[in-house]
Amino acid sequence: MSHSITIRCDICGATHSSSAADSVGALREVIVQMSWSRARWDGRVIDMCGGCGAREMTPSAPGRRCGSCEGGELFDVLGHDRIGHRLANALLRAGIDNLELLSGFSARQLRDLDGIGAVSARHALNRLHSAPNERRP
């Protein structure tokens, strides 16, 4: 009987599957060679694909917004940091261009969108429901 093991990036939702690996541990060893990693994020250990790992390791200039930032309410609420920008851009690609539309989504529905993983979905909902004076710029 054949089975497949899939690991999903908790930031962007990218997946890697293998039918050759006989355990999750064996698959993790293989994907480390492909630049996947595990990281601590908000007190949890998450899986991160090579692309997200490279973006997280890139230093950002203090006080400077990302060049891909279009501004607007999504960017302002989700945050002017790497995860906020990636999340806002993924939402815009999915046609979610305002907070009213975003507020109608559950975490599961957000994870089903291309480019959004569990950490990003939780980040979006936490930022959306936080009080305005608790949001970081």
Side-chain angles (χ1 to χ4, degrees):
M1 177 166 36
S2 173
H3 69 279
S4 177
I5 299 173
T6 301
I7 292 185
R8 181 180 176 113
C9 175
D10 289 314
I11 293 179
C12 74
T15 60
H16 181 77
S17 298
S18 174
S19 57
D22 59 358
S23 70
V24 172
L27 180 56
R28 286 191 196 285
E29 288 178 26
V30 170
I31 64 174
V32 164
Q33 297 167 7
M34 299 168 50
S35 299
W36 279 63
S37 61
R38 300 202 83 191
R40 289 195 77 57
W41 188 279
D42 271 348
R44 297 179 1 170
V45 176
I46 63 169
D47 291 308
M48 198 172 0
C49 70
C52 289
R55 285 188 295 269
E56 289 303 313
M57 298 304 282
T58 304
S60 59
R64 183 173 163 255
R65 291 186 176 176
C66 173
S68 66
C69 180
E70 298 175 17
E73 66 181 355
L74 281 179
F75 290 90
D76 292 340
V77 168
L78 297 175
H80 291 284
D81 56 12
R82 288 183 194 111
I83 193 168
H85 284 179
R86 279 197 309 270
L87 181 53
N89 286 323
L91 290 169
L92 289 172
R93 285 190 302 273
I96 302 167
D97 61 356
N98 63 61
L99 297 178
E100 185 178 344
L101 284 173
L102 177 59
S103 68
F105 279 78
S106 69
R108 179 183 286 291
Q109 290 169 317
L110 288 173
R111 285 192 315 263
D112 289 340
L113 299 174
D114 188 39
I116 298 178
V119 170
S120 295
R122 195 173 93 216
H123 178 82
L125 295 177
N126 286 344
R127 294 297 295 242
L128 180 65
H129 298 298
S130 69
N133 61 351
E134 293 175 5
R135 292 187 189 126
R136 288 178 270 155

